[in-house]
Amino acid sequence: MPLDDLDEQIVAHLIRDARASYAEIGTGVGLSAPAVKRRVDRLRGTGVIKGFTARIDPHALGWTTEALVEVYCEPRTTPAALLKCLERHPEVVRAETVTGKADAVVRLLAADVRHLETVLERIRLESVVRETHSTVVLSRLLERPGNG
């Protein structure tokens, strides 16, 4: 669905602050609160807005170790089968299928290296996983809200 300029402005406001009221957004884009609500409802109905969520600082939860893991699957593993297995591991916070040698790239968060090792062992025991290659993140250089 193509977005007009007002829709794009509303989406930008929601990316910055999903808890902003319709009135606050309306003030920023030059619409009434009911007009903003109608547009947000339409954007949700068409799937442009998939939902609202809280972004949690993993360090506040004690999960300070992060890794990017290339996952190599058994032949003929479907993305749905891989998703089903990865959903069983709460430490997996993001996963994408990719081109190249790996079948998927997974972002893991763990309390420490020992916890990370345990998670990797659990993932490797999944029947659809042939092998993994891990890279531990030292520092995050850039993270933009709304991209993912």
Side-chain angles (χ1 to χ4, degrees), residues 10 13-14 17-28 31-33 36-37 40:
I10 290 168
H13 274 271
L14 290 171
D17 181 5
R19 294 188 64 190
S21 70
Y22 296 133
E24 291 169 329
I25 295 169
T27 298
L31 291 174
S32 67
V36 171
K37 181 186 182 321
V40 170

Side-chain angles (χ1 to χ4, degrees), residues 87-114:
E87 286 178 324
R88 289 192 278 269
H89 306 280
E91 298 87 352
V92 174
V93 296
R94 186 176 178 121
E96 286 101 5
T97 56
V98 296
T99 61
K101 292 182 181 181
D103 295 296
V105 174
V106 173
R107 181 176 171 224
L108 295 178
L109 291 176
D112 52 31
V113 173
R114 181 169 292 164

